[in-house]
mmCIF file of all heavy atoms in Angstrom:
data_model
loop_
_atom_site.group_PDB
_atom_site.id
_atom_site.type_symbol
_atom_site.label_atom_id
_atom_site.label_comp_id
_atom_site.label_asym_id
_atom_site.label_seq_id
_atom_site.Cartn_x
_atom_site.Cartn_y
_atom_site.Cartn_z
ATOM 1 N N LYS M 8 15.473 -8.058 29.746
ATOM 2 C CA LYS M 8 16.124 -7.245 28.717
ATOM 3 C C LYS M 8 16.094 -7.966 27.373
ATOM 4 O O LYS M 8 15.698 -7.392 26.359
ATOM 5 C CB LYS M 8 17.562 -6.925 29.115
ATOM 6 C CG LYS M 8 18.274 -6.034 28.116
ATOM 7 C CD LYS M 8 19.724 -5.822 28.516
ATOM 8 C CE LYS M 8 20.556 -6.476 27.464
ATOM 9 N NZ LYS M 8 21.893 -6.757 27.719
ATOM 10 N N ASP M 9 16.475 -9.232 27.370
ATOM 11 C CA ASP M 9 16.438 -10.011 26.125
ATOM 12 C C ASP M 9 15.013 -10.148 25.613
ATOM 13 O O ASP M 9 14.756 -10.043 24.419
ATOM 14 C CB ASP M 9 17.040 -11.397 26.340
ATOM 15 C CG ASP M 9 18.520 -11.330 26.693
ATOM 16 O OD1 ASP M 9 19.178 -10.328 26.318
ATOM 17 O OD2 ASP M 9 19.005 -12.261 27.348
ATOM 18 N N PHE M 10 14.102 -10.389 26.547
ATOM 19 C CA PHE M 10 12.696 -10.531 26.170
ATOM 20 C C PHE M 10 12.171 -9.224 25.581
ATOM 21 O O PHE M 10 11.483 -9.222 24.565
ATOM 22 C CB PHE M 10 11.890 -10.944 27.402
ATOM 23 C CG PHE M 10 10.690 -11.779 27.095
ATOM 24 C CD1 PHE M 10 10.769 -12.846 26.217
ATOM 25 C CD2 PHE M 10 9.483 -11.516 27.703
ATOM 26 C CE1 PHE M 10 9.658 -13.635 25.945
ATOM 27 C CE2 PHE M 10 8.369 -12.297 27.429
ATOM 28 C CZ PHE M 10 8.458 -13.361 26.553
ATOM 29 N N ALA M 11 12.514 -8.106 26.192
ATOM 30 C CA ALA M 11 12.068 -6.799 25.695
ATOM 31 C C ALA M 11 12.622 -6.537 24.303
ATOM 32 O O ALA M 11 11.909 -6.028 23.429
ATOM 33 C CB ALA M 11 12.491 -5.691 26.660
ATOM 34 N N LEU M 12 13.875 -6.901 24.090
ATOM 35 C CA LEU M 12 14.459 -6.720 22.759
ATOM 36 C C LEU M 12 13.754 -7.609 21.732
ATOM 37 O O LEU M 12 13.522 -7.190 20.597
ATOM 38 C CB LEU M 12 15.955 -6.999 22.796
ATOM 39 C CG LEU M 12 16.780 -5.971 23.570
ATOM 40 C CD1 LEU M 12 18.248 -6.416 23.642
ATOM 41 C CD2 LEU M 12 16.673 -4.596 22.950
ATOM 42 N N ASN M 13 13.394 -8.823 22.130
ATOM 43 C CA ASN M 13 12.634 -9.698 21.236
ATOM 44 C C ASN M 13 11.265 -9.112 20.933
ATOM 45 O O ASN M 13 10.773 -9.208 19.811
ATOM 46 C CB ASN M 13 12.478 -11.101 21.844
ATOM 47 C CG ASN M 13 13.767 -11.885 21.813
ATOM 48 O OD1 ASN M 13 14.651 -11.614 21.005
ATOM 49 N ND2 ASN M 13 13.887 -12.853 22.700
ATOM 50 N N VAL M 14 10.647 -8.519 21.944
ATOM 51 C CA VAL M 14 9.345 -7.885 21.740
ATOM 52 C C VAL M 14 9.483 -6.729 20.754
ATOM 53 O O VAL M 14 8.684 -6.595 19.823
ATOM 54 C CB VAL M 14 8.753 -7.390 23.083
ATOM 55 C CG1 VAL M 14 7.576 -6.460 22.856
ATOM 56 C CG2 VAL M 14 8.340 -8.572 23.931
ATOM 57 N N VAL M 15 10.487 -5.910 20.958
ATOM 58 C CA VAL M 15 10.704 -4.776 20.048
ATOM 59 C C VAL M 15 10.934 -5.287 18.625
ATOM 60 O O VAL M 15 10.385 -4.741 17.664
ATOM 61 C CB VAL M 15 11.878 -3.895 20.533
ATOM 62 C CG1 VAL M 15 12.256 -2.869 19.485
ATOM 63 C CG2 VAL M 15 11.506 -3.204 21.839
ATOM 64 N N ASP M 16 11.699 -6.365 18.492
ATOM 65 C CA ASP M 16 11.938 -6.948 17.175
ATOM 66 C C ASP M 16 10.635 -7.467 16.561
ATOM 67 O O ASP M 16 10.364 -7.252 15.377
ATOM 68 C CB ASP M 16 12.963 -8.081 17.281
ATOM 69 C CG ASP M 16 13.365 -8.613 15.910
ATOM 70 O OD1 ASP M 16 13.699 -7.793 15.032
ATOM 71 O OD2 ASP M 16 13.334 -9.848 15.732
ATOM 72 N N ALA M 17 9.817 -8.136 17.362
ATOM 73 C CA ALA M 17 8.532 -8.651 16.866
ATOM 74 C C ALA M 17 7.611 -7.500 16.465
ATOM 75 O O ALA M 17 6.917 -7.576 15.440
ATOM 76 C CB ALA M 17 7.867 -9.518 17.934
ATOM 77 N N ILE M 18 7.609 -6.434 17.251
ATOM 78 C CA ILE M 18 6.791 -5.257 16.916
ATOM 79 C C ILE M 18 7.278 -4.652 15.614
ATOM 80 O O ILE M 18 6.479 -4.276 14.758
ATOM 81 C CB ILE M 18 6.837 -4.226 18.064
ATOM 82 C CG1 ILE M 18 6.097 -4.769 19.284
ATOM 83 C CG2 ILE M 18 6.244 -2.890 17.634
ATOM 84 C CD1 ILE M 18 6.328 -3.963 20.543
ATOM 85 N N LYS M 19 8.583 -4.570 15.462
ATOM 86 C CA LYS M 19 9.155 -4.015 14.230
ATOM 87 C C LYS M 19 8.721 -4.840 13.020
ATOM 88 O O LYS M 19 8.290 -4.290 12.003
ATOM 89 C CB LYS M 19 10.679 -3.984 14.334
ATOM 90 C CG LYS M 19 11.361 -3.474 13.094
ATOM 91 C CD LYS M 19 12.880 -3.561 13.232
ATOM 92 C CE LYS M 19 13.532 -3.251 11.903
ATOM 93 N NZ LYS M 19 14.889 -3.706 11.828
ATOM 94 N N LYS M 20 8.810 -6.163 13.140
ATOM 95 C CA LYS M 20 8.407 -7.034 12.032
ATOM 96 C C LYS M 20 6.929 -6.889 11.735
ATOM 97 O O LYS M 20 6.519 -6.851 10.572
ATOM 98 C CB LYS M 20 8.757 -8.488 12.350
ATOM 99 C CG LYS M 20 10.247 -8.771 12.275
ATOM 100 C CD LYS M 20 10.571 -10.195 12.653
ATOM 101 C CE LYS M 20 12.082 -10.402 12.639
ATOM 102 N NZ LYS M 20 12.458 -11.702 13.176
ATOM 103 N N SER M 21 6.125 -6.811 12.772
ATOM 104 C CA SER M 21 4.681 -6.639 12.589
ATOM 105 C C SER M 21 4.392 -5.310 11.904
ATOM 106 O O SER M 21 3.555 -5.230 10.995
ATOM 107 C CB SER M 21 3.976 -6.702 13.948
ATOM 108 O OG SER M 21 2.623 -6.402 13.813
ATOM 109 N N HIS M 22 5.081 -4.270 12.331
ATOM 110 C CA HIS M 22 4.898 -2.942 11.730
ATOM 111 C C HIS M 22 5.321 -2.962 10.262
ATOM 112 O O HIS M 22 4.614 -2.419 9.403
ATOM 113 C CB HIS M 22 5.701 -1.907 12.519
ATOM 114 C CG HIS M 22 5.534 -0.506 12.034
ATOM 115 N ND1 HIS M 22 4.340 0.166 12.107
ATOM 116 C CD2 HIS M 22 6.406 0.349 11.456
ATOM 117 C CE1 HIS M 22 4.484 1.375 11.591
ATOM 118 N NE2 HIS M 22 5.723 1.508 11.193
ATOM 119 N N GLU M 23 6.452 -3.600 9.981
ATOM 120 C CA GLU M 23 6.912 -3.689 8.590
ATOM 121 C C GLU M 23 5.908 -4.455 7.732
ATOM 122 O O GLU M 23 5.644 -4.077 6.591
ATOM 123 C CB GLU M 23 8.292 -4.351 8.529
ATOM 124 C CG GLU M 23 9.403 -3.456 9.044
ATOM 125 C CD GLU M 23 10.735 -4.179 9.213
ATOM 126 O OE1 GLU M 23 10.783 -5.429 9.054
ATOM 127 O OE2 GLU M 23 11.724 -3.502 9.522
ATOM 128 N N SER M 24 5.335 -5.509 8.287
ATOM 129 C CA SER M 24 4.328 -6.282 7.566
ATOM 130 C C SER M 24 3.089 -5.436 7.293
ATOM 131 O O SER M 24 2.533 -5.461 6.189
ATOM 132 C CB SER M 24 3.955 -7.520 8.391
ATOM 133 O OG SER M 24 2.898 -8.202 7.796
ATOM 134 N N THR M 25 2.674 -4.672 8.298
ATOM 135 C CA THR M 25 1.520 -3.782 8.128
ATOM 136 C C THR M 25 1.806 -2.746 7.056
ATOM 137 O O THR M 25 0.951 -2.477 6.198
ATOM 138 C CB THR M 25 1.186 -3.074 9.458
ATOM 139 O OG1 THR M 25 0.850 -4.062 10.431
ATOM 140 C CG2 THR M 25 0.035 -2.103 9.313
ATOM 141 N N LEU M 26 3.000 -2.165 7.094
ATOM 142 C CA LEU M 26 3.356 -1.155 6.096
ATOM 143 C C LEU M 26 3.391 -1.745 4.697
ATOM 144 O O LEU M 26 2.935 -1.121 3.732
ATOM 145 C CB LEU M 26 4.710 -0.522 6.434
ATOM 146 C CG LEU M 26 4.751 0.358 7.673
ATOM 147 C CD1 LEU M 26 6.170 0.890 7.886
ATOM 148 C CD2 LEU M 26 3.767 1.503 7.577
ATOM 149 N N SER M 27 3.921 -2.956 4.576
ATOM 150 C CA SER M 27 3.989 -3.605 3.269
ATOM 151 C C SER M 27 2.592 -3.870 2.724
ATOM 152 O O SER M 27 2.303 -3.590 1.557
ATOM 153 C CB SER M 27 4.780 -4.912 3.380
ATOM 154 O OG SER M 27 4.772 -5.591 2.153
ATOM 155 N N ALA M 28 1.721 -4.429 3.568
ATOM 156 C CA ALA M 28 0.341 -4.699 3.139
ATOM 157 C C ALA M 28 -0.362 -3.394 2.786
ATOM 158 O O ALA M 28 -1.108 -3.328 1.801
ATOM 159 C CB ALA M 28 -0.413 -5.439 4.240
ATOM 160 N N ASN M 29 -0.122 -2.354 3.574
ATOM 161 C CA ASN M 29 -0.726 -1.055 3.308
ATOM 162 C C ASN M 29 -0.243 -0.496 1.975
ATOM 163 O O ASN M 29 -1.031 0.020 1.184
ATOM 164 C CB ASN M 29 -0.403 -0.075 4.443
ATOM 165 C CG ASN M 29 -1.010 1.278 4.195
ATOM 166 O OD1 ASN M 29 -2.215 1.435 4.170
ATOM 167 N ND2 ASN M 29 -0.155 2.268 3.974
ATOM 168 N N GLN M 30 1.048 -0.637 1.708
ATOM 169 C CA GLN M 30 1.596 -0.124 0.451
ATOM 170 C C GLN M 30 0.971 -0.845 -0.746
ATOM 171 O O GLN M 30 0.589 -0.208 -1.719
ATOM 172 C CB GLN M 30 3.114 -0.286 0.420
ATOM 173 C CG GLN M 30 3.732 0.260 -0.860
ATOM 174 C CD GLN M 30 5.249 0.157 -0.870
ATOM 175 O OE1 GLN M 30 5.862 -0.250 0.100
ATOM 176 N NE2 GLN M 30 5.838 0.523 -1.976
ATOM 177 N N GLN M 31 0.848 -2.157 -0.641
ATOM 178 C CA GLN M 31 0.235 -2.920 -1.733
ATOM 179 C C GLN M 31 -1.210 -2.493 -1.940
ATOM 180 O O GLN M 31 -1.663 -2.328 -3.079
ATOM 181 C CB GLN M 31 0.304 -4.418 -1.437
ATOM 182 C CG GLN M 31 1.705 -4.970 -1.503
ATOM 183 C CD GLN M 31 1.776 -6.413 -1.036
ATOM 184 O OE1 GLN M 31 0.772 -7.031 -0.742
ATOM 185 N NE2 GLN M 31 2.990 -6.931 -0.958
ATOM 186 N N SER M 32 -1.922 -2.292 -0.849
ATOM 187 C CA SER M 32 -3.316 -1.855 -0.933
ATOM 188 C C SER M 32 -3.400 -0.475 -1.580
ATOM 189 O O SER M 32 -4.255 -0.231 -2.446
ATOM 190 C CB SER M 32 -3.930 -1.829 0.471
ATOM 191 O OG SER M 32 -5.225 -1.289 0.426
ATOM 192 N N GLN M 33 -2.525 0.427 -1.161
ATOM 193 C CA GLN M 33 -2.527 1.777 -1.723
ATOM 194 C C GLN M 33 -2.207 1.752 -3.217
ATOM 195 O O GLN M 33 -2.830 2.462 -4.001
ATOM 196 C CB GLN M 33 -1.510 2.669 -0.992
ATOM 197 C CG GLN M 33 -1.981 3.115 0.375
ATOM 198 C CD GLN M 33 -3.221 3.977 0.275
ATOM 199 O OE1 GLN M 33 -3.233 5.012 -0.373
ATOM 200 N NE2 GLN M 33 -4.287 3.535 0.908
ATOM 201 N N GLU M 34 -1.246 0.923 -3.604
ATOM 202 C CA GLU M 34 -0.909 0.822 -5.027
ATOM 203 C C GLU M 34 -2.106 0.318 -5.829
ATOM 204 O O GLU M 34 -2.382 0.814 -6.921
ATOM 205 C CB GLU M 34 0.309 -0.098 -5.218
ATOM 206 C CG GLU M 34 1.603 0.527 -4.747
ATOM 207 C CD GLU M 34 2.776 -0.444 -4.721
ATOM 208 O OE1 GLU M 34 2.601 -1.628 -5.099
ATOM 209 O OE2 GLU M 34 3.865 -0.022 -4.301
ATOM 210 N N HIS M 35 -2.820 -0.642 -5.269
ATOM 211 C CA HIS M 35 -3.999 -1.181 -5.940
ATOM 212 C C HIS M 35 -5.067 -0.085 -6.100
ATOM 213 O O HIS M 35 -5.659 0.062 -7.172
ATOM 214 C CB HIS M 35 -4.557 -2.364 -5.145
ATOM 215 C CG HIS M 35 -5.797 -2.956 -5.724
ATOM 216 N ND1 HIS M 35 -5.792 -3.743 -6.851
ATOM 217 C CD2 HIS M 35 -7.095 -2.849 -5.338
ATOM 218 C CE1 HIS M 35 -7.030 -4.098 -7.137
ATOM 219 N NE2 HIS M 35 -7.837 -3.578 -6.238
ATOM 220 N N VAL M 36 -5.289 0.667 -5.052
ATOM 221 C CA VAL M 36 -6.279 1.755 -5.099
ATOM 222 C C VAL M 36 -5.866 2.800 -6.129
ATOM 223 O O VAL M 36 -6.691 3.243 -6.949
ATOM 224 C CB VAL M 36 -6.455 2.400 -3.692
ATOM 225 C CG1 VAL M 36 -7.210 3.713 -3.771
ATOM 226 C CG2 VAL M 36 -7.156 1.432 -2.757
ATOM 227 N N HIS M 37 -4.610 3.197 -6.113
ATOM 228 C CA HIS M 37 -4.153 4.217 -7.060
ATOM 229 C C HIS M 37 -4.248 3.714 -8.509
ATOM 230 O O HIS M 37 -4.601 4.476 -9.408
ATOM 231 C CB HIS M 37 -2.730 4.683 -6.730
ATOM 232 C CG HIS M 37 -2.665 5.512 -5.488
ATOM 233 N ND1 HIS M 37 -3.315 6.719 -5.357
ATOM 234 C CD2 HIS M 37 -2.042 5.302 -4.305
ATOM 235 C CE1 HIS M 37 -3.091 7.229 -4.154
ATOM 236 N NE2 HIS M 37 -2.316 6.370 -3.495
ATOM 237 N N ARG M 38 -3.929 2.429 -8.732
ATOM 238 C CA ARG M 38 -4.085 1.859 -10.078
ATOM 239 C C ARG M 38 -5.545 1.884 -10.514
ATOM 240 O O ARG M 38 -5.857 2.204 -11.664
ATOM 241 C CB ARG M 38 -3.558 0.411 -10.122
ATOM 242 C CG ARG M 38 -2.085 0.318 -10.472
ATOM 243 C CD ARG M 38 -1.667 -1.110 -10.836
ATOM 244 N NE ARG M 38 -2.108 -2.123 -9.891
ATOM 245 C CZ ARG M 38 -1.449 -2.494 -8.799
ATOM 246 N NH1 ARG M 38 -0.298 -1.932 -8.506
ATOM 247 N NH2 ARG M 38 -1.919 -3.435 -8.019
ATOM 248 N N ALA M 39 -6.449 1.537 -9.589
ATOM 249 C CA ALA M 39 -7.880 1.542 -9.915
ATOM 250 C C ALA M 39 -8.352 2.955 -10.272
ATOM 251 O O ALA M 39 -9.098 3.136 -11.250
ATOM 252 C CB ALA M 39 -8.695 0.989 -8.744
ATOM 253 N N PHE M 40 -7.896 3.945 -9.512
ATOM 254 C CA PHE M 40 -8.263 5.325 -9.832
ATOM 255 C C PHE M 40 -7.662 5.750 -11.177
ATOM 256 O O PHE M 40 -8.297 6.455 -11.954
ATOM 257 C CB PHE M 40 -7.830 6.298 -8.723
ATOM 258 C CG PHE M 40 -8.834 6.416 -7.615
ATOM 259 C CD1 PHE M 40 -8.576 5.906 -6.358
ATOM 260 C CD2 PHE M 40 -10.048 7.059 -7.814
ATOM 261 C CE1 PHE M 40 -9.491 6.009 -5.330
ATOM 262 C CE2 PHE M 40 -10.974 7.186 -6.796
ATOM 263 C CZ PHE M 40 -10.700 6.654 -5.551
ATOM 264 N N GLN M 41 -6.427 5.316 -11.445
ATOM 265 C CA GLN M 41 -5.802 5.648 -12.729
ATOM 266 C C GLN M 41 -6.578 5.007 -13.878
ATOM 267 O O GLN M 41 -6.803 5.643 -14.906
ATOM 268 C CB GLN M 41 -4.336 5.195 -12.766
ATOM 269 C CG GLN M 41 -3.599 5.629 -14.030
ATOM 270 C CD GLN M 41 -3.581 7.142 -14.207
ATOM 271 O OE1 GLN M 41 -3.215 7.884 -13.308
ATOM 272 N NE2 GLN M 41 -3.997 7.614 -15.382
ATOM 273 N N ASP M 42 -7.001 3.759 -13.692
ATOM 274 C CA ASP M 42 -7.810 3.094 -14.718
ATOM 275 C C ASP M 42 -9.114 3.859 -14.959
ATOM 276 O O ASP M 42 -9.541 4.022 -16.111
ATOM 277 C CB ASP M 42 -8.126 1.645 -14.309
ATOM 278 C CG ASP M 42 -6.902 0.750 -14.333
ATOM 279 O OD1 ASP M 42 -5.855 1.153 -14.892
ATOM 280 O OD2 ASP M 42 -6.991 -0.374 -13.766
ATOM 281 N N LEU M 43 -9.726 4.324 -13.883
ATOM 282 C CA LEU M 43 -10.959 5.106 -14.015
ATOM 283 C C LEU M 43 -10.703 6.397 -14.787
ATOM 284 O O LEU M 43 -11.449 6.753 -15.707
ATOM 285 C CB LEU M 43 -11.551 5.409 -12.633
ATOM 286 C CG LEU M 43 -12.780 6.318 -12.602
ATOM 287 C CD1 LEU M 43 -13.940 5.666 -13.349
ATOM 288 C CD2 LEU M 43 -13.168 6.627 -11.168
ATOM 289 N N ARG M 44 -9.628 7.102 -14.446
ATOM 290 C CA ARG M 44 -9.303 8.343 -15.161
ATOM 291 C C ARG M 44 -9.017 8.068 -16.638
ATOM 292 O O ARG M 44 -9.445 8.829 -17.516
ATOM 293 C CB ARG M 44 -8.116 9.050 -14.495
ATOM 294 C CG ARG M 44 -8.474 9.715 -13.173
ATOM 295 C CD ARG M 44 -7.357 10.612 -12.662
ATOM 296 N NE ARG M 44 -6.114 9.886 -12.442
ATOM 297 C CZ ARG M 44 -5.774 9.307 -11.299
ATOM 298 N NH1 ARG M 44 -6.585 9.327 -10.268
ATOM 299 N NH2 ARG M 44 -4.616 8.681 -11.187
ATOM 300 N N ASP M 45 -8.291 6.971 -16.904
ATOM 301 C CA ASP M 45 -8.004 6.610 -18.301
ATOM 302 C C ASP M 45 -9.290 6.328 -19.073
ATOM 303 O O ASP M 45 -9.445 6.753 -20.223
ATOM 304 C CB ASP M 45 -7.081 5.385 -18.367
ATOM 305 C CG ASP M 45 -5.661 5.680 -17.893
ATOM 306 O OD1 ASP M 45 -5.296 6.886 -17.796
ATOM 307 O OD2 ASP M 45 -4.924 4.707 -17.611
ATOM 308 N N ALA M 46 -10.226 5.608 -18.436
ATOM 309 C CA ALA M 46 -11.500 5.303 -19.103
ATOM 310 C C ALA M 46 -12.280 6.584 -19.376
ATOM 311 O O ALA M 46 -12.846 6.760 -20.472
ATOM 312 C CB ALA M 46 -12.325 4.342 -18.244
ATOM 313 N N ILE M 47 -12.294 7.493 -18.402
ATOM 314 C CA ILE M 47 -13.004 8.760 -18.600
ATOM 315 C C ILE M 47 -12.330 9.564 -19.706
ATOM 316 O O ILE M 47 -12.996 10.149 -20.572
ATOM 317 C CB ILE M 47 -13.076 9.559 -17.276
ATOM 318 C CG1 ILE M 47 -13.976 8.826 -16.277
ATOM 319 C CG2 ILE M 47 -13.584 10.979 -17.524
ATOM 320 C CD1 ILE M 47 -13.949 9.415 -14.870
ATOM 321 N N LYS M 48 -10.983 9.579 -19.707
ATOM 322 C CA LYS M 48 -10.246 10.307 -20.745
ATOM 323 C C LYS M 48 -10.565 9.735 -22.135
ATOM 324 O O LYS M 48 -10.778 10.486 -23.091
ATOM 325 C CB LYS M 48 -8.747 10.240 -20.487
ATOM 326 C CG LYS M 48 -7.911 11.055 -21.448
ATOM 327 C CD LYS M 48 -6.431 10.919 -21.111
ATOM 328 C CE LYS M 48 -5.558 11.668 -22.072
ATOM 329 N NZ LYS M 48 -5.690 11.302 -23.458
ATOM 330 N N ASN M 49 -10.613 8.409 -22.231
ATOM 331 C CA ASN M 49 -10.964 7.782 -23.512
ATOM 332 C C ASN M 49 -12.356 8.211 -23.972
ATOM 333 O O ASN M 49 -12.574 8.452 -25.163
ATOM 334 C CB ASN M 49 -10.886 6.255 -23.415
ATOM 335 C CG ASN M 49 -9.453 5.761 -23.336
ATOM 336 O OD1 ASN M 49 -8.523 6.456 -23.742
ATOM 337 N ND2 ASN M 49 -9.280 4.571 -22.790
ATOM 338 N N GLU M 50 -13.274 8.299 -23.055
ATOM 339 C CA GLU M 50 -14.620 8.755 -23.411
ATOM 340 C C GLU M 50 -14.593 10.210 -23.863
ATOM 341 O O GLU M 50 -15.282 10.588 -24.814
ATOM 342 C CB GLU M 50 -15.581 8.579 -22.228
ATOM 343 C CG GLU M 50 -15.977 7.149 -21.957
ATOM 344 C CD GLU M 50 -16.739 6.518 -23.116
ATOM 345 O OE1 GLU M 50 -17.705 7.137 -23.618
ATOM 346 O OE2 GLU M 50 -16.348 5.409 -23.525
ATOM 347 N N LEU M 51 -13.792 11.024 -23.162
ATOM 348 C CA LEU M 51 -13.702 12.445 -23.525
ATOM 349 C C LEU M 51 -13.073 12.633 -24.900
ATOM 350 O O LEU M 51 -13.360 13.611 -25.589
ATOM 351 C CB LEU M 51 -12.894 13.222 -22.471
ATOM 352 C CG LEU M 51 -13.609 13.514 -21.153
ATOM 353 C CD1 LEU M 51 -12.617 14.060 -20.126
ATOM 354 C CD2 LEU M 51 -14.758 14.491 -21.356
ATOM 355 N N ASP M 52 -12.195 11.709 -25.292
ATOM 356 C CA ASP M 52 -11.530 11.811 -26.594
ATOM 357 C C ASP M 52 -12.484 11.522 -27.762
ATOM 358 O O ASP M 52 -12.161 11.824 -28.905
ATOM 359 C CB ASP M 52 -10.334 10.850 -26.660
ATOM 360 C CG ASP M 52 -9.161 11.347 -25.822
ATOM 361 O OD1 ASP M 52 -9.142 12.542 -25.479
ATOM 362 O OD2 ASP M 52 -8.270 10.520 -25.510
ATOM 363 N N LYS M 53 -13.632 10.956 -27.461
ATOM 364 C CA LYS M 53 -14.608 10.690 -28.517
ATOM 365 C C LYS M 53 -15.183 12.017 -28.993
ATOM 366 O O LYS M 53 -15.506 12.899 -28.195
ATOM 367 C CB LYS M 53 -15.727 9.779 -28.013
ATOM 368 C CG LYS M 53 -15.247 8.367 -27.709
ATOM 369 C CD LYS M 53 -16.402 7.513 -27.237
ATOM 370 C CE LYS M 53 -15.911 6.104 -26.959
ATOM 371 N NZ LYS M 53 -16.986 5.262 -26.434
#
């Protein structure tokens, strides 16, 4: 029982770590797309 609870806790921490890394990756991707849109918009403003 204690071991299972420790496993669940370790899984939770691993999942939280995965979610955090995923969120950072997604933010980076969205920023890159925003930069691309901004560059295209600047070109269109010419």
Side-chain angles (χ1 to χ4, degrees):
K8 182 184 114 197
D9 296 335
F10 210 46
L12 291 175
N13 287 337
V14 167
V15 170
D16 187 49
I18 291 168
K19 178 184 171 198
K20 287 177 183 172
S21 174
H22 183 65
E23 288 170 353
S24 174
T25 299
L26 291 179
S27 176
N29 180 65
Q30 181 177 356
Q31 290 173 5
S32 174
Q33 284 297 302
E34 288 171 1
H35 178 74
V36 167
H37 289 298
R38 271 194 311 273
F40 274 110
Q41 185 59 51
D42 291 347
L43 175 63
R44 287 190 300 270
D45 290 344
I47 292 171
K48 185 180 178 302
N49 288 338
E50 287 297 311
L51 285 170
D52 286 342
K53 292 181 179 177

